[in-house]
Amino acid sequence: MLDKITVAGVSVDTRHWIGGERVASSDTFTDVSPIDGSVLGEISRGTPAEVAAAVSAAKAAFPAWAATPRAERARILHAVADGVEKRLEELAVVETTDNGALLRSHRRGVMPRVAHNFRFFADWLLRLDHEDFATRGHTNHVSWDPAGPCVLITPWNAPLMLATWKVAPALAAGNTVVLKPAEWSPLTASLLADIAAAAGLPAGVLNVVQGYGSEIGDALTSHPGVRRISFTGSVPTARRIAASAAANLTPLSLELGGKSPLLVFADADLDLAVDLAVEQYDNAGQVCLAATRLLVEETVAEEFTRRFVEKAARLTQGDPRDEATDIGPTIHPRQLEKIDGFVRRATAAGARAVIGGHPRDGRYYAPTLLTDVAQDSEIVQEEVFGPVLTLQTFATEEEAVRLANDTRFGLAATVATGDRDRADRVTARLVAGTVWVNCFFVRDLQAPFGGSRLSGVGREGGTWSFDFYCDLKNTVTAPKGWQDHG
């Protein structure tokens, strides 16, 4: 096994990062690029032994990091952000090669957001405060105490951005971290370890363990030394994590799947609504927040569909490294097979593919729009996680809301309407953690983020992140009983 590989001209260490050192495993797993199926390298395949070592390192580093003054923690996190910005191009090309998302998106949006994640939570830490308040003359003081080692398990669709969405607040809060990246896209987590070390983050504060969740997941989530677990991924995996964490009552933050609706009312700007709908193909549909269920008022459905098909036809699907590409490959052949299975079962049950409905070149799935779908059908109820949208119509506002809420999920929703009063009425009734009106994917780190129902447990962002990653303490002080030492 090579300790380092070269990916898109960038040297990447294939070993774990534990206690400030590179640690190799006796076995490896193969990392393959979704762009062309080429082997990128053999990656250290973690075992419970590496997990135990990482948690031990995190525990050992915790007291000193927790005691580090806020201003110094913030300074180091800003230094990490500086390191990300210096290596932004390297991070972008490696992640595109590793997970197939658009290089232009990584350069212009995703990697800058990685740096922003560290800067935002560093700055928020310095303003984190709750005004003291009085109770019958006694003073109440609220404080956020670091909780301890945190296990962070992250997905493959936006590997580094979603990892640092968790890592940054956990570190800012004074915790130490064991990060487990997805096995389909592990490379930028390794680069992050290098960047953090160069920025002066003490040894053991950030640890990275690579491998398969089926082999090391339980060791991570059942460890009695772990005080917080944050996971982004599927509902079945979340259930296993919750069961594993239950023995130690380890607090969980779970950001899970979605089956989000886009409600298009007849009074909406139809061109805007079409733009929003076609935008759901972003990242080859591999976005948990994607509004994959188009719900269109029946009086404009025909015209909406015509404009949608026309605009979708202009999308370019191909190599994500090409600036002209709009849609890249599916992350893995297994995921492509899963997507195609959903579509084949839907069409066999009577759905009609207005566009797409098939793979392309073995690694790409054609942008697909299915109509004639029943509300209780699998394709409407279950998350596909690919470039597959369904279109249903409604006659009334009441029906639109009913259809929108009629799944097990509640991650997000999007509403297109020209009527402010309608927007207020509808958004108030939608079951979702985030609702966008006449826009999509506008995100601010100070806003609460998470899902309802099976879309997740808890909220992160701004103070909500610190509420999760800390033990909140209220200290009540009496006005009397002080001795005069003067």
Side-chain angles (χ1 to χ4, degrees), residues 359-381:
R360 286 177 174 165
D361 302 325
R363 296 194 170 273
Y364 300 78
Y365 204 86
T368 298
L369 177 66
L370 300 175
T371 61
D372 303 328
V373 292
Q375 179 62 23
D376 62 355
S377 63
E378 177 191 54
I379 197 67
V380 169
Q381 294 293 327

Side-chain angles (χ1 to χ4, degrees), residues 3 88 449:
D3 290 344
L88 189 147
F449 180 76

Side-chain angles (χ1 to χ4, degrees), residues 101-181:
L102 299 184
L103 180 56
R104 72 178 193 222
S105 295
H106 280 138
R107 284 172 169 158
R108 299 170 192 172
V110 177
M111 294 309 162
R113 171 64 181 270
V114 169
H116 179 62
N117 284 345
F118 283 104
R119 296 200 193 283
F120 173 87
F121 286 107
D123 292 341
W124 200 267
L125 169 66
L126 299 182
R127 59 184 287 190
L128 186 66
D129 193 21
H130 190 293
E131 186 177 349
D132 290 354
F133 56 98
T135 304
R136 298 190 301 277
H138 297 63
T139 300
N140 292 265
H141 176 74
V142 176
S143 58
W144 286 261
D145 293 350
C150 302
V151 163
L152 311 178
I153 303 173
T154 55
W156 45 258
N157 58 323
L160 192 58
M161 192 272 284
L162 292 177
T164 56
W165 160 256
K166 301 175 187 294
V167 170
L171 296 182
N175 299 319
T176 52
V177 164
V178 178
L179 171 64
K180 194 279 182 190

Side-chain angles (χ1 to χ4, degrees), residues 237-257:
T237 301
R239 287 193 170 111
R240 292 194 293 271
I241 289 172
S244 178
N248 299 311
L249 295 179
T250 308
L252 298 170
S253 176
L254 303 173
E255 196 266 278
L256 310 178

Side-chain angles (χ1 to χ4, degrees), residues 63-293:
W65 182 245
T68 300
R70 286 186 178 189
E72 177 62 8
R73 293 205 302 264
R75 184 194 67 77
I76 292 175
L77 293 186
H78 274 291
V80 174
D82 292 341
V84 169
E85 289 172 348
K86 288 176 183 176
R87 300 188 65 179
L88 189 147
E89 178 66 16
E90 294 181 7
L91 292 167
V93 296
V94 169
E95 188 144 299
T96 288
T97 306
D98 202 20
N99 90 323
L102 299 184
L103 180 56
R104 72 178 193 222
S105 295
H106 280 138
R107 284 172 169 158
R108 299 170 192 172
V110 177
M111 294 309 162
R113 171 64 181 270
V114 169
H116 179 62
N117 284 345
F118 283 104
R119 296 200 193 283
F120 173 87
F121 286 107
D123 292 341
W124 200 267
L125 169 66
L126 299 182
R127 59 184 287 190
L128 186 66
D129 193 21
H130 190 293
E131 186 177 349
D132 290 354
F133 56 98
T135 304
R136 298 190 301 277
H138 297 63
T139 300
N140 292 265
H141 176 74
V142 176
S143 58
W144 286 261
D145 293 350
C150 302
V151 163
L152 311 178
I153 303 173
T154 55
W156 45 258
N157 58 323
L160 192 58
M161 192 272 284
L162 292 177
T164 56
W165 160 256
K166 301 175 187 294
V167 170
L171 296 182
N175 299 319
T176 52
V177 164
V178 178
L179 171 64
K180 194 279 182 190
E183 57 268 25
W184 286 352
S185 56
L187 299 183
T188 48
S190 181
L191 293 177
L192 176 64
D194 294 335
I195 291 169
L201 193 69
V205 174
L206 172 65
N207 306 274
V208 180
V209 178
Q210 304 151 154
Y212 290 102
S214 59
E215 296 175 350
I216 60 174
D218 186 65
L220 284 164
T221 56
S222 67
H223 198 294
V226 172
R227 294 314 313 138
R228 294 291 188 274
I229 299 170
S230 182
F231 168 73
T232 297
S234 71
V235 172
T237 301
R239 287 193 170 111
R240 292 194 293 271
I241 289 172
S244 178
N248 299 311
L249 295 179
T250 308
L252 298 170
S253 176
L254 303 173
E255 196 266 278
L256 310 178
K259 197 67 182 177
S260 302
L262 166 54
L263 291 75
V264 179
F265 290 92
D267 56 24
D269 178 332
L270 214 55
D271 286 332
L272 170 64
V274 168
D275 287 345
L276 293 173
V278 173
E279 190 177 349
Q280 308 311 312
Y281 291 133
D282 182 51
N283 202 20
Q286 299 169 136
V287 178
C288 59
L289 291 163
T292 56
R293 294 185 297 130

